């Protein structure tokens, strides 16, 4: 399958979002890094060929720290994907970022530990710039579409990625909030960064499912059941966003993502 273009756009499904395309071809993709989370469903959204992969597995059997992020990203690249959309469930660290809102993230903070987060272990040392984690060409299109559809959207936000599978303590949550970060999630890192290493564009749309426990005035501890309930209640909004967004994504790429490896390698 190597070198054969089978899809242009990839979508990683998150918690509560297990199906996206209807008329699909299901593909099993082998990678040098093991198996992806599930077979990849390939179908069409208007004239764009789209690959969908549930990052947690078909039955949500993979917790965040056990996802094979390298295999997932590599499988998309192997299919010819150049643009990736990574919707995810996320908690809010700000009172004005409400459950049911969407956040089109522009920054990321990594608080994970022990995750394999690079394709470049040597001998060719590679340092990829990651100052701006999310594709600057995809973000404005997502914001425009969300506003057209009447979806409550925040045009920017910093997502802090924690290790999981446990949720934060109140002290940790207050610390993240005091740092000025906006949303909290368990899967954005290293997923988004690995796509950058493969020169694929990456867009995050965070669907806010709850207030994190350190948000002032919000005292209820988050539960997995509540996350899934709110995400499921908003799946139609997410589906409409993706089906409207995908046909509008630019066909050509000139962004930082498309040439991320230029000047990144230290030649001997």
């Amino acid at each position: 399958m190597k070198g054969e273009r089978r899809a242009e756009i990839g979508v990683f499904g998150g918690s509560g979002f297990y199906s996206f395309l209807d008329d699909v071809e299901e593909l099993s993709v082998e990678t040098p890094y093991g198996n992806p989370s599930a077979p990849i469903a390939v179908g069409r959204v208007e004239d764009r060929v789209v690959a969908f992969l549930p990052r947690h597995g078909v039955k949500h059997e993979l917790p965040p720290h056990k996802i094979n992020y390298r295999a997932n990203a590599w499988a998309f690249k192997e299919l010819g994907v150049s643009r990736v959309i990574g919707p995810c469930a996320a908690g809010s660290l700000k009172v004005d970022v409400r459950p049911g809102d969407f956040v089109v993230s522009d920054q990321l903070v990594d608080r994970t530990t022990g995750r394999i987060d690079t394709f470049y272990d040597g001998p060719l040392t590679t340092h990829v710039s990651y100052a701006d984690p999310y594709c600057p060409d995809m973000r404005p299109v997502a914001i425009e579409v969300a506003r057209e559809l009447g979806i409550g959207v925040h045009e920017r936000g910093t997502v802090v990625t924690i290790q999981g599978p446990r949720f934060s303590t109140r002290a940790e949550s207050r610390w993240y909030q005091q740092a000025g970060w906006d949303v909290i999630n368990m899967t954005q890192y290293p997923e988004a960064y690995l796509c950058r290493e493969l020169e694929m564009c990456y867009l995050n749309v965070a669907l806010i499912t709850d207030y994190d426990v350190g948000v002032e005035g919000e005292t209820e501890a988050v539960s997995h059941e509540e996350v899934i309930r709110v995400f499921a209640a908003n799946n139609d909004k997410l589906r409409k966003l993706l089906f409207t967004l995908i046909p509008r994504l630019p066909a050509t790429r000139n962004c930082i993502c498309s040439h991320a490896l230029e000047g990144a390698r230290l030649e001997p």
Side-chain angles (χ1 to χ4, degrees):
M1 188 178 292
K2 190 169 183 178
E4 183 182 358
R5 188 175 180 81
R6 302 292 300 275
E8 175 190 1
I9 295 164
V11 177
F12 286 125
S15 297
F17 190 58
Y18 300 114
S19 63
F20 170 58
L21 301 168
D22 296 319
D23 185 14
V24 300
E25 175 189 8
E26 198 169 85
L27 302 176
S28 294
V29 182
E30 296 181 0
T31 85
Y33 306 98
N35 294 324
S37 297
I40 299 176
V42 178
R44 285 187 174 272
V45 176
E46 294 187 15
D47 62 342
R48 312 299 283 271
V49 182
V50 181
F52 174 76
L53 175 61
R55 63 168 71 86
H56 291 284
V58 175
K59 298 180 179 179
H60 204 98
E61 65 271 26
L62 297 170
H65 66 296
K66 289 296 187 180
I67 294 171
N68 191 338
Y69 294 97
R70 288 199 300 181
N72 288 352
W74 190 272
F76 272 175
K77 185 71 173 182
E78 193 80 351
L79 291 175
V81 167
S82 59
R83 295 190 185 278
V84 178
I85 305 172
C88 68
S92 170
L93 294 166
K94 298 285 182 66
V95 172
D96 63 340
V97 180
R98 300 174 177 85
D101 286 357
F102 286 9
V103 177
V104 180
S105 303
D106 67 324
Q107 279 296 320
L108 180 151
V109 174
D110 170 33
R111 292 292 302 167
T112 65
T113 57
R115 297 186 182 185
I116 300 174
D117 61 356
T118 184
F119 292 104
Y120 303 113
D121 288 325
L124 191 60
T125 302
T126 305
H127 299 285
V128 175
S129 175
Y130 203 52
D132 297 299
Y134 298 107
C135 179
D137 289 351
M138 295 176 72
R139 291 187 63 258
V141 185
I143 293 163
E144 178 184 10
V145 168
R147 295 211 179 282
E148 285 180 13
L149 295 175
I151 296 170
V153 62
H154 299 264
E155 297 187 5
R156 62 185 67 251
T158 296
V159 53
V160 53
T161 308
I162 61 173
Q163 177 70 2
R166 72 168 178 86
F167 291 115
S168 301
T169 66
R170 295 186 191 278
E172 290 168 332
S173 184
R174 284 193 296 270
W175 176 31
Y176 301 149
Q177 184 189 18
Q178 289 162 7
W181 304 332
D182 301 279
V183 299
I184 186 166
N185 170 260
M186 297 180 186
T187 57
Q188 277 295 286
Y189 192 86
E191 181 178 281
Y193 176 67
L194 290 169
C195 289
R196 178 64 59 86
E197 283 199 338
L198 295 177
E199 296 187 325
M200 294 188 293
C201 299
Y202 189 99
L203 167 73
N204 170 243
V205 179
L207 172 53
I208 303 304
T209 57
D210 59 275
Y211 283 112
D212 211 47
V213 292
V215 178
E216 185 177 355
E218 300 296 334
T219 58
E220 291 296 323
V222 62
S223 69
H224 181 70
E225 290 78 11
E226 180 65 8
V227 167
I228 296 300
R229 186 192 68 78
V230 177
F231 204 106
N234 288 277
N235 259 350
D236 282 345
K237 288 196 299 184
L238 181 57
R239 186 181 176 90
K240 287 177 184 176
L241 177 76
L242 293 175
F243 269 82
T244 308
L245 167 64
I246 286 170
R248 294 197 197 176
L249 292 173
T252 58
R253 299 192 305 151
N254 255 337
C255 54
I256 53 174
C257 327
S258 64
H259 50 83
L261 294 178
E262 290 181 13
R265 289 176 173 145
L266 300 179
E267 305 289 345

